[in-house]
Amino acid sequence: MRRFFFQIAILACSWDFGYSQVSAIPSESELLGTYKLDDKSRSLVNDHGLDPEKCSLSLKKDGLFLLQNAPPGISDDKSPTESLSKVGIWSVSSVDSSGFLIELQGLCVVPLSEKGERLAIPITIGDGDECNGIVFVKE
């Protein structure tokens, strides 16, 4: 009798390694403010021909977010050759007892994350199977 063993490969993307989903909701003052790209994300944005210094995400007290000069592919709003800027409503919600999600209305719903006590918002670019994304880290 022959036995067959199958090895299952788990696809892991490196663009968000080291970040973990927050398990306690941060205070409003911790959430509000400007988020800038981490080093890996800066490189990816630069590869898209965009200036990583101009790419940012701001969470405002009035419940609005402002995304500026992001690479194409995180939204279908723009053609693939243009940078993306968008204003919308943001909110945080819990997912059972496993953590919290942040929704950037019309853009994404992603795990609210952290690394080294700094809040982070990871956003996939394009198809998730392509393993492309950027991480905004709170300044």
Side-chain angles (χ1 to χ4, degrees):
M1 181 173 159
R2 285 187 159 177
R3 290 189 178 160
F4 294 95
F5 294 96
F6 296 96
Q7 185 174 15
I8 298 174
I10 298 174
L11 180 62
C13 300
S14 65
W15 65 269
D16 63 352
F17 273 161
Y19 292 92
S20 58
Q21 189 171 12
V22 298
S23 57
I25 191 163
S27 68
E28 183 179 83
S29 63
E30 291 173 307
L31 281 166
L32 298 178
T34 301
Y35 293 71
K36 292 289 195 170
L37 297 172
D38 70 1
D39 289 337
K40 286 181 186 177
S41 301
R42 293 171 59 79
S43 177
L44 182 98
V45 167
N46 193 45
D47 290 347
H48 275 87
L50 301 173
D51 182 353
E53 293 298 321
K54 294 181 179 178
C55 184
S56 67
L57 173 65
S58 297
L59 300 182
K60 310 274 186 186
K61 186 174 180 76
D62 61 3
L64 293 178
F65 73 85
L66 173 60
L67 176 69
Q68 295 180 301
N69 300 302
I74 60 176
S75 173
D76 294 333
D77 290 351
K78 297 280 185 174
S79 72
T81 59
E82 296 178 15
S83 67
L84 173 69
S85 293
K86 188 171 182 80
V87 175
I89 297 170
W90 69 272
S91 63
V92 174
S93 59
S94 65
V95 182
D96 301 324
S97 62
S98 63
F100 292 87
L101 298 175
I102 184 163
E103 178 178 0
L104 304 176
Q105 185 182 46
L107 191 64
C108 63
V109 178
V110 296
L112 182 58
S113 301
E114 64 186 348
K115 182 178 184 181
E117 297 186 25
R118 291 183 68 194
L119 289 175
I121 301 172
I123 301 176
T124 301
I125 296 176
D127 184 340
D129 291 341
E130 295 174 3
C131 285
N132 287 318
I134 55 177
V135 179
F136 288 99
V137 179
K138 177 83 183 289
E139 287 193 306

